[in-house]
Amino acid sequence: MLAALQGAWGVFGLGLVSVVDGAVDPLTALVVILVAGLGLVGLALAVWGVVEGVRRDRVARARLLEWAALDPAPVRDPRLRAPGLSLLWLLLGFVQCAAGLWLCFAVPAAARPGSTTFAEVVFAMGAGMILWVNGLLGLVKAAGHYRVAVRLGGKPGDPAGARP
């Protein structure tokens, strides 16, 4: 979904930079505005896809916890715990957050009047915001996966629902 979000924002940003920065004839401006509108529609669809993905993840996590609560004996399958997957999600989320925050702060700070336009700064900040929010989703997913893995793979004397 990150690629869809960035692609749609790129199409919108291309239209925004073209209209704001250059003197174009009315027909070209109309085409650019239509393309930017398609970018906004694609962005809305990609956001909807991300929201639905988050909802599905929450439902799956709730069902997994309900399933684990049925049996008080902890699950001993190491593939189910998969601590490396939590670490991978954590690292990828951190990298995305760092890159997004860098784009959101470094590009406006480096902008100089006459060389960098307002549309370019808006485009870079939007791309950074998409990376940052997606990175935060990855961090939440990593923390949730780790909590489920700890809950499902507790100590032999612990009930399955006793851990956070």
Side-chain angles (χ1 to χ4, degrees):
M1 276 297 159
L2 177 63
L5 286 167
Q6 290 291 4
W9 183 252
V11 169
F12 173 73
L14 178 67
L16 181 68
V17 170
S18 297
V19 168
V20 172
D21 292 344
V24 294
D25 61 288
L27 185 60
T28 305
L30 179 65
V31 169
V32 168
I33 289 172
L34 287 175
V35 168
L38 287 175
L40 281 178
V41 169
L43 188 64
L45 290 174
V47 167
W48 177 77
V50 168
V51 169
E52 285 300 313
V54 168
R55 284 184 186 155
R56 275 186 303 212
D57 286 347
R58 289 184 67 195
V59 168
R61 182 174 181 265
R63 287 181 182 169
L64 184 63
L65 292 176
E66 288 172 1
W67 170 75
L70 293 176
D71 187 13
V75 178
R76 295 289 176 207
D77 189 2
R79 293 176 296 169
L80 185 60
R81 294 187 69 182
L85 192 56
S86 295
L87 180 62
L88 179 67
W89 277 333
L90 185 72
L91 291 176
L92 287 174
F94 178 75
V95 167
Q96 286 181 7
C97 283
L101 286 176
W102 180 80
L103 271 175
C104 283
F105 289 114
V107 170
R112 300 291 172 247
S115 64
T116 308
T117 64
F118 177 73
E120 291 171 343
V121 172
V122 168
F123 173 67
M125 287 184 70
M129 185 63 76
I130 290 170
L131 278 173
W132 184 65
V133 169
N134 214 4
L136 287 177
L137 288 174
L139 291 175
V140 169
K141 190 175 213 174
H145 182 267
Y146 181 75
R147 288 184 68 200
V148 168
V150 166
R151 187 175 292 178
L152 293 179
K155 295 178 184 173
D158 292 343
R163 293 207 169 188

PDB file of all heavy atoms in Angstrom, residues 1-6 42-58 96 130 133-138 141:
ATOM      1  N   MET A   1       0.803  -1.192   0.000  1.00  0.00           N
ATOM      2  CA  MET A   1       0.000   0.000   0.000  1.00  0.00           C
ATOM      3  C   MET A   1       0.851   1.263   0.000  1.00  0.00           C
ATOM      4  O   MET A   1       0.392   2.302  -0.440  1.00  0.00           O
ATOM      5  CB  MET A   1      -0.926   0.003   1.222  1.00  0.00           C
ATOM      6  CG  MET A   1      -2.188  -0.761   1.012  1.00  0.00           C
ATOM      7  SD  MET A   1      -3.103   0.043  -0.286  1.00  0.00           S
ATOM      8  CE  MET A   1      -4.138  -1.217  -0.816  1.00  0.00           C
ATOM      9  N   LEU A   2       2.050   1.159   0.553  1.00  0.00           N
ATOM     10  CA  LEU A   2       2.933   2.323   0.566  1.00  0.00           C
ATOM     11  C   LEU A   2       3.230   2.782  -0.857  1.00  0.00           C
ATOM     12  O   LEU A   2       3.224   3.982  -1.144  1.00  0.00           O
ATOM     13  CB  LEU A   2       4.225   2.007   1.309  1.00  0.00           C
ATOM     14  CG  LEU A   2       5.280   3.108   1.338  1.00  0.00           C
ATOM     15  CD1 LEU A   2       4.754   4.336   2.063  1.00  0.00           C
ATOM     16  CD2 LEU A   2       6.551   2.614   1.987  1.00  0.00           C
ATOM     17  N   ALA A   3       3.444   1.832  -1.753  1.00  0.00           N
ATOM     18  CA  ALA A   3       3.722   2.190  -3.145  1.00  0.00           C
ATOM     19  C   ALA A   3       2.511   2.875  -3.786  1.00  0.00           C
ATOM     20  O   ALA A   3       2.669   3.840  -4.544  1.00  0.00           O
ATOM     21  CB  ALA A   3       4.107   0.943  -3.939  1.00  0.00           C
ATOM     22  N   ALA A   4       1.316   2.393  -3.482  1.00  0.00           N
ATOM     23  CA  ALA A   4       0.106   3.020  -4.028  1.00  0.00           C
ATOM     24  C   ALA A   4      -0.068   4.434  -3.482  1.00  0.00           C
ATOM     25  O   ALA A   4      -0.406   5.363  -4.231  1.00  0.00           O
ATOM     26  CB  ALA A   4      -1.120   2.171  -3.704  1.00  0.00           C
ATOM     27  N   LEU A   5       0.164   4.597  -2.186  1.00  0.00           N
ATOM     28  CA  LEU A   5       0.061   5.933  -1.594  1.00  0.00           C
ATOM     29  C   LEU A   5       1.083   6.891  -2.202  1.00  0.00           C
ATOM     30  O   LEU A   5       0.750   8.010  -2.586  1.00  0.00           O
ATOM     31  CB  LEU A   5       0.258   5.856  -0.088  1.00  0.00           C
ATOM     32  CG  LEU A   5      -0.892   5.285   0.726  1.00  0.00           C
ATOM     33  CD1 LEU A   5      -0.436   4.967   2.143  1.00  0.00           C
ATOM     34  CD2 LEU A   5      -2.050   6.247   0.748  1.00  0.00           C
ATOM     35  N   GLN A   6       2.326   6.453  -2.283  1.00  0.00           N
ATOM     36  CA  GLN A   6       3.373   7.319  -2.834  1.00  0.00           C
ATOM     37  C   GLN A   6       3.149   7.584  -4.325  1.00  0.00           C
ATOM     38  O   GLN A   6       3.414   8.693  -4.805  1.00  0.00           O
ATOM     39  CB  GLN A   6       4.763   6.711  -2.600  1.00  0.00           C
ATOM     40  CG  GLN A   6       5.196   6.721  -1.164  1.00  0.00           C
ATOM     41  CD  GLN A   6       5.495   8.107  -0.615  1.00  0.00           C
ATOM     42  OE1 GLN A   6       5.329   9.132  -1.253  1.00  0.00           O
ATOM     43  NE2 GLN A   6       5.940   8.128   0.621  1.00  0.00           N
ATOM     44  N   GLY A  42      -6.837   8.386  -6.631  1.00  0.00           N
ATOM     45  CA  GLY A  42      -5.979   7.247  -6.300  1.00  0.00           C
ATOM     46  C   GLY A  42      -5.497   7.307  -4.862  1.00  0.00           C
ATOM     47  O   GLY A  42      -5.405   6.288  -4.180  1.00  0.00           O
ATOM     48  N   LEU A  43      -5.205   8.505  -4.382  1.00  0.00           N
ATOM     49  CA  LEU A  43      -4.779   8.671  -2.994  1.00  0.00           C
ATOM     50  C   LEU A  43      -5.906   8.289  -2.036  1.00  0.00           C
ATOM     51  O   LEU A  43      -5.673   7.608  -1.035  1.00  0.00           O
ATOM     52  CB  LEU A  43      -4.335  10.112  -2.755  1.00  0.00           C
ATOM     53  CG  LEU A  43      -3.678  10.420  -1.423  1.00  0.00           C
ATOM     54  CD1 LEU A  43      -2.371   9.661  -1.289  1.00  0.00           C
ATOM     55  CD2 LEU A  43      -3.438  11.906  -1.296  1.00  0.00           C
ATOM     56  N   ALA A  44      -7.120   8.713  -2.352  1.00  0.00           N
ATOM     57  CA  ALA A  44      -8.264   8.360  -1.503  1.00  0.00           C
ATOM     58  C   ALA A  44      -8.479   6.848  -1.483  1.00  0.00           C
ATOM     59  O   ALA A  44      -8.747   6.254  -0.427  1.00  0.00           O
ATOM     60  CB  ALA A  44      -9.522   9.078  -1.998  1.00  0.00           C
ATOM     61  N   LEU A  45      -8.356   6.200  -2.637  1.00  0.00           N
ATOM     62  CA  LEU A  45      -8.513   4.745  -2.688  1.00  0.00           C
ATOM     63  C   LEU A  45      -7.404   4.034  -1.919  1.00  0.00           C
ATOM     64  O   LEU A  45      -7.654   3.031  -1.236  1.00  0.00           O
ATOM     65  CB  LEU A  45      -8.539   4.269  -4.140  1.00  0.00           C
ATOM     66  CG  LEU A  45      -9.783   4.644  -4.936  1.00  0.00           C
ATOM     67  CD1 LEU A  45      -9.613   4.250  -6.400  1.00  0.00           C
ATOM     68  CD2 LEU A  45     -11.013   3.981  -4.350  1.00  0.00           C
ATOM     69  N   ALA A  46      -6.195   4.537  -2.007  1.00  0.00           N
ATOM     70  CA  ALA A  46      -5.085   3.919  -1.278  1.00  0.00           C
ATOM     71  C   ALA A  46      -5.255   4.106   0.226  1.00  0.00           C
ATOM     72  O   ALA A  46      -4.975   3.186   1.000  1.00  0.00           O
ATOM     73  CB  ALA A  46      -3.756   4.506  -1.758  1.00  0.00           C
ATOM     74  N   VAL A  47      -5.724   5.267   0.660  1.00  0.00           N
ATOM     75  CA  VAL A  47      -5.981   5.492   2.085  1.00  0.00           C
ATOM     76  C   VAL A  47      -7.074   4.546   2.565  1.00  0.00           C
ATOM     77  O   VAL A  47      -6.978   3.959   3.644  1.00  0.00           O
ATOM     78  CB  VAL A  47      -6.341   6.965   2.354  1.00  0.00           C
ATOM     79  CG1 VAL A  47      -6.926   7.159   3.740  1.00  0.00           C
ATOM     80  CG2 VAL A  47      -5.124   7.845   2.169  1.00  0.00           C
ATOM     81  N   TRP A  48      -8.112   4.385   1.767  1.00  0.00           N
ATOM     82  CA  TRP A  48      -9.175   3.440   2.110  1.00  0.00           C
ATOM     83  C   TRP A  48      -8.613   2.026   2.237  1.00  0.00           C
ATOM     84  O   TRP A  48      -8.971   1.292   3.169  1.00  0.00           O
ATOM     85  CB  TRP A  48     -10.278   3.479   1.047  1.00  0.00           C
ATOM     86  CG  TRP A  48     -11.368   2.491   1.304  1.00  0.00           C
ATOM     87  CD1 TRP A  48     -12.376   2.587   2.217  1.00  0.00           C
ATOM     88  CD2 TRP A  48     -11.537   1.237   0.645  1.00  0.00           C
ATOM     89  NE1 TRP A  48     -13.165   1.465   2.161  1.00  0.00           N
ATOM     90  CE2 TRP A  48     -12.668   0.626   1.200  1.00  0.00           C
ATOM     91  CE3 TRP A  48     -10.847   0.579  -0.363  1.00  0.00           C
ATOM     92  CZ2 TRP A  48     -13.123  -0.616   0.778  1.00  0.00           C
ATOM     93  CZ3 TRP A  48     -11.303  -0.655  -0.775  1.00  0.00           C
ATOM     94  CH2 TRP A  48     -12.424  -1.241  -0.203  1.00  0.00           C
ATOM     95  N   GLY A  49      -7.710   1.642   1.342  1.00  0.00           N
ATOM     96  CA  GLY A  49      -7.089   0.319   1.424  1.00  0.00           C
ATOM     97  C   GLY A  49      -6.255   0.153   2.682  1.00  0.00           C
ATOM     98  O   GLY A  49      -6.270  -0.914   3.309  1.00  0.00           O
ATOM     99  N   VAL A  50      -5.541   1.186   3.069  1.00  0.00           N
ATOM    100  CA  VAL A  50      -4.742   1.118   4.302  1.00  0.00           C
ATOM    101  C   VAL A  50      -5.662   0.986   5.517  1.00  0.00           C
ATOM    102  O   VAL A  50      -5.405   0.180   6.417  1.00  0.00           O
ATOM    103  CB  VAL A  50      -3.826   2.356   4.430  1.00  0.00           C
ATOM    104  CG1 VAL A  50      -3.219   2.454   5.808  1.00  0.00           C
ATOM    105  CG2 VAL A  50      -2.735   2.309   3.377  1.00  0.00           C
ATOM    106  N   VAL A  51      -6.730   1.757   5.558  1.00  0.00           N
ATOM    107  CA  VAL A  51      -7.670   1.688   6.680  1.00  0.00           C
ATOM    108  C   VAL A  51      -8.295   0.300   6.759  1.00  0.00           C
ATOM    109  O   VAL A  51      -8.402  -0.290   7.842  1.00  0.00           O
ATOM    110  CB  VAL A  51      -8.742   2.788   6.554  1.00  0.00           C
ATOM    111  CG1 VAL A  51      -9.877   2.575   7.540  1.00  0.00           C
ATOM    112  CG2 VAL A  51      -8.118   4.153   6.751  1.00  0.00           C
ATOM    113  N   GLU A  52      -8.694  -0.263   5.636  1.00  0.00           N
ATOM    114  CA  GLU A  52      -9.268  -1.610   5.634  1.00  0.00           C
ATOM    115  C   GLU A  52      -8.233  -2.651   6.066  1.00  0.00           C
ATOM    116  O   GLU A  52      -8.564  -3.610   6.766  1.00  0.00           O
ATOM    117  CB  GLU A  52      -9.823  -1.956   4.249  1.00  0.00           C
ATOM    118  CG  GLU A  52     -11.120  -1.262   3.933  1.00  0.00           C
ATOM    119  CD  GLU A  52     -12.225  -1.599   4.912  1.00  0.00           C
ATOM    120  OE1 GLU A  52     -12.436  -2.792   5.233  1.00  0.00           O
ATOM    121  OE2 GLU A  52     -12.890  -0.657   5.378  1.00  0.00           O
ATOM    122  N   GLY A  53      -6.987  -2.469   5.666  1.00  0.00           N
ATOM    123  CA  GLY A  53      -5.928  -3.385   6.094  1.00  0.00           C
ATOM    124  C   GLY A  53      -5.715  -3.336   7.594  1.00  0.00           C
ATOM    125  O   GLY A  53      -5.528  -4.370   8.242  1.00  0.00           O
ATOM    126  N   VAL A  54      -5.753  -2.140   8.169  1.00  0.00           N
ATOM    127  CA  VAL A  54      -5.612  -2.000   9.616  1.00  0.00           C
ATOM    128  C   VAL A  54      -6.789  -2.658  10.327  1.00  0.00           C
ATOM    129  O   VAL A  54      -6.617  -3.345  11.341  1.00  0.00           O
ATOM    130  CB  VAL A  54      -5.481  -0.509  10.005  1.00  0.00           C
ATOM    131  CG1 VAL A  54      -5.627  -0.303  11.493  1.00  0.00           C
ATOM    132  CG2 VAL A  54      -4.157   0.043   9.516  1.00  0.00           C
ATOM    133  N   ARG A  55      -7.989  -2.488   9.787  1.00  0.00           N
ATOM    134  CA  ARG A  55      -9.170  -3.133  10.387  1.00  0.00           C
ATOM    135  C   ARG A  55      -9.052  -4.652  10.336  1.00  0.00           C
ATOM    136  O   ARG A  55      -9.356  -5.342  11.314  1.00  0.00           O
ATOM    137  CB  ARG A  55     -10.437  -2.683   9.666  1.00  0.00           C
ATOM    138  CG  ARG A  55     -10.862  -1.305  10.028  1.00  0.00           C
ATOM    139  CD  ARG A  55     -12.164  -0.952   9.363  1.00  0.00           C
ATOM    140  NE  ARG A  55     -12.482   0.448   9.617  1.00  0.00           N
ATOM    141  CZ  ARG A  55     -13.239   1.188   8.843  1.00  0.00           C
ATOM    142  NH1 ARG A  55     -13.785   0.669   7.765  1.00  0.00           N
ATOM    143  NH2 ARG A  55     -13.468   2.439   9.154  1.00  0.00           N
ATOM    144  N   ARG A  56      -8.603  -5.183   9.208  1.00  0.00           N
ATOM    145  CA  ARG A  56      -8.435  -6.642   9.096  1.00  0.00           C
ATOM    146  C   ARG A  56      -7.378  -7.148  10.062  1.00  0.00           C
ATOM    147  O   ARG A  56      -7.536  -8.218  10.650  1.00  0.00           O
ATOM    148  CB  ARG A  56      -8.060  -7.025   7.673  1.00  0.00           C
ATOM    149  CG  ARG A  56      -9.242  -7.180   6.762  1.00  0.00           C
ATOM    150  CD  ARG A  56      -8.767  -7.685   5.450  1.00  0.00           C
ATOM    151  NE  ARG A  56      -7.770  -6.706   4.983  1.00  0.00           N
ATOM    152  CZ  ARG A  56      -7.539  -6.402   3.739  1.00  0.00           C
ATOM    153  NH1 ARG A  56      -8.172  -7.019   2.799  1.00  0.00           N
ATOM    154  NH2 ARG A  56      -6.655  -5.496   3.403  1.00  0.00           N
ATOM    155  N   ASP A  57      -6.296  -6.401  10.221  1.00  0.00           N
ATOM    156  CA  ASP A  57      -5.251  -6.795  11.167  1.00  0.00           C
ATOM    157  C   ASP A  57      -5.787  -6.829  12.593  1.00  0.00           C
ATOM    158  O   ASP A  57      -5.458  -7.730  13.365  1.00  0.00           O
ATOM    159  CB  ASP A  57      -4.061  -5.846  11.091  1.00  0.00           C
ATOM    160  CG  ASP A  57      -3.226  -6.051   9.843  1.00  0.00           C
ATOM    161  OD1 ASP A  57      -3.413  -7.074   9.148  1.00  0.00           O
ATOM    162  OD2 ASP A  57      -2.376  -5.176   9.554  1.00  0.00           O
ATOM    163  N   ARG A  58      -6.593  -5.844  12.956  1.00  0.00           N
ATOM    164  CA  ARG A  58      -7.170  -5.818  14.305  1.00  0.00           C
ATOM    165  C   ARG A  58      -8.106  -6.993  14.527  1.00  0.00           C
ATOM    166  O   ARG A  58      -8.090  -7.613  15.589  1.00  0.00           O
ATOM    167  CB  ARG A  58      -7.918  -4.505  14.537  1.00  0.00           C
ATOM    168  CG  ARG A  58      -6.988  -3.316  14.662  1.00  0.00           C
ATOM    169  CD  ARG A  58      -7.728  -2.058  14.974  1.00  0.00           C
ATOM    170  NE  ARG A  58      -8.287  -2.178  16.317  1.00  0.00           N
ATOM    171  CZ  ARG A  58      -9.221  -1.382  16.794  1.00  0.00           C
ATOM    172  NH1 ARG A  58      -9.700  -0.416  16.030  1.00  0.00           N
ATOM    173  NH2 ARG A  58      -9.675  -1.529  18.010  1.00  0.00           N
ATOM    174  N   GLN A  96      11.253   3.860   8.075  1.00  0.00           N
ATOM    175  CA  GLN A  96      10.248   4.672   7.393  1.00  0.00           C
ATOM    176  C   GLN A  96       9.935   5.944   8.179  1.00  0.00           C
ATOM    177  O   GLN A  96       9.789   7.016   7.603  1.00  0.00           O
ATOM    178  CB  GLN A  96       8.968   3.870   7.173  1.00  0.00           C
ATOM    179  CG  GLN A  96       9.079   2.839   6.097  1.00  0.00           C
ATOM    180  CD  GLN A  96       7.779   2.082   5.903  1.00  0.00           C
ATOM    181  OE1 GLN A  96       6.751   2.408   6.480  1.00  0.00           O
ATOM    182  NE2 GLN A  96       7.835   1.058   5.086  1.00  0.00           N
ATOM    183  N   ILE A 130       3.466  10.583   4.417  1.00  0.00           N
ATOM    184  CA  ILE A 130       3.023   9.235   4.071  1.00  0.00           C
ATOM    185  C   ILE A 130       4.002   8.209   4.637  1.00  0.00           C
ATOM    186  O   ILE A 130       3.597   7.199   5.227  1.00  0.00           O
ATOM    187  CB  ILE A 130       2.861   9.082   2.550  1.00  0.00           C
ATOM    188  CG1 ILE A 130       1.655   9.889   2.062  1.00  0.00           C
ATOM    189  CG2 ILE A 130       2.705   7.615   2.163  1.00  0.00           C
ATOM    190  CD1 ILE A 130       1.548  10.001   0.570  1.00  0.00           C
ATOM    191  N   VAL A 133       3.616   8.143   8.636  1.00  0.00           N
ATOM    192  CA  VAL A 133       2.409   7.465   9.111  1.00  0.00           C
ATOM    193  C   VAL A 133       2.504   5.964   8.848  1.00  0.00           C
ATOM    194  O   VAL A 133       2.145   5.141   9.707  1.00  0.00           O
ATOM    195  CB  VAL A 133       1.143   8.072   8.466  1.00  0.00           C
ATOM    196  CG1 VAL A 133      -0.077   7.231   8.732  1.00  0.00           C
ATOM    197  CG2 VAL A 133       0.930   9.492   8.963  1.00  0.00           C
ATOM    198  N   ASN A 134       3.017   5.583   7.693  1.00  0.00           N
ATOM    199  CA  ASN A 134       3.173   4.164   7.398  1.00  0.00           C
ATOM    200  C   ASN A 134       4.195   3.522   8.334  1.00  0.00           C
ATOM    201  O   ASN A 134       4.033   2.368   8.748  1.00  0.00           O
ATOM    202  CB  ASN A 134       3.584   3.979   5.934  1.00  0.00           C
ATOM    203  CG  ASN A 134       3.002   2.736   5.336  1.00  0.00           C
ATOM    204  OD1 ASN A 134       2.232   2.044   5.966  1.00  0.00           O
ATOM    205  ND2 ASN A 134       3.366   2.475   4.108  1.00  0.00           N
ATOM    206  N   GLY A 135       5.247   4.253   8.670  1.00  0.00           N
ATOM    207  CA  GLY A 135       6.223   3.750   9.631  1.00  0.00           C
ATOM    208  C   GLY A 135       5.613   3.565  11.009  1.00  0.00           C
ATOM    209  O   GLY A 135       5.899   2.588  11.706  1.00  0.00           O
ATOM    210  N   LEU A 136       4.764   4.514  11.428  1.00  0.00           N
ATOM    211  CA  LEU A 136       4.077   4.360  12.709  1.00  0.00           C
ATOM    212  C   LEU A 136       3.167   3.143  12.713  1.00  0.00           C
ATOM    213  O   LEU A 136       3.093   2.412  13.712  1.00  0.00           O
ATOM    214  CB  LEU A 136       3.261   5.618  13.028  1.00  0.00           C
ATOM    215  CG  LEU A 136       4.054   6.850  13.432  1.00  0.00           C
ATOM    216  CD1 LEU A 136       3.113   8.029  13.639  1.00  0.00           C
ATOM    217  CD2 LEU A 136       4.873   6.591  14.673  1.00  0.00           C
ATOM    218  N   LEU A 137       2.484   2.894  11.606  1.00  0.00           N
ATOM    219  CA  LEU A 137       1.666   1.678  11.505  1.00  0.00           C
ATOM    220  C   LEU A 137       2.529   0.432  11.633  1.00  0.00           C
ATOM    221  O   LEU A 137       2.135  -0.547  12.272  1.00  0.00           O
ATOM    222  CB  LEU A 137       0.896   1.659  10.185  1.00  0.00           C
ATOM    223  CG  LEU A 137      -0.265   2.634  10.059  1.00  0.00           C
ATOM    224  CD1 LEU A 137      -0.833   2.601   8.641  1.00  0.00           C
ATOM    225  CD2 LEU A 137      -1.341   2.318  11.067  1.00  0.00           C
ATOM    226  N   GLY A 138       3.715   0.456  11.028  1.00  0.00           N
ATOM    227  CA  GLY A 138       4.626  -0.679  11.140  1.00  0.00           C
ATOM    228  C   GLY A 138       5.116  -0.884  12.566  1.00  0.00           C
ATOM    229  O   GLY A 138       5.233  -2.024  13.031  1.00  0.00           O
ATOM    230  N   LYS A 141       2.298  -2.405  14.501  1.00  0.00           N
ATOM    231  CA  LYS A 141       2.147  -3.809  14.111  1.00  0.00           C
ATOM    232  C   LYS A 141       3.233  -4.668  14.762  1.00  0.00           C
ATOM    233  O   LYS A 141       2.965  -5.775  15.222  1.00  0.00           O
ATOM    234  CB  LYS A 141       2.221  -3.932  12.595  1.00  0.00           C
ATOM    235  CG  LYS A 141       1.851  -5.280  12.080  1.00  0.00           C
ATOM    236  CD  LYS A 141       1.846  -5.264  10.556  1.00  0.00           C
ATOM    237  CE  LYS A 141       0.792  -6.209  10.066  1.00  0.00           C
ATOM    238  NZ  LYS A 141       0.615  -6.169   8.648  1.00  0.00           N
TER     239      LYS A 141
END
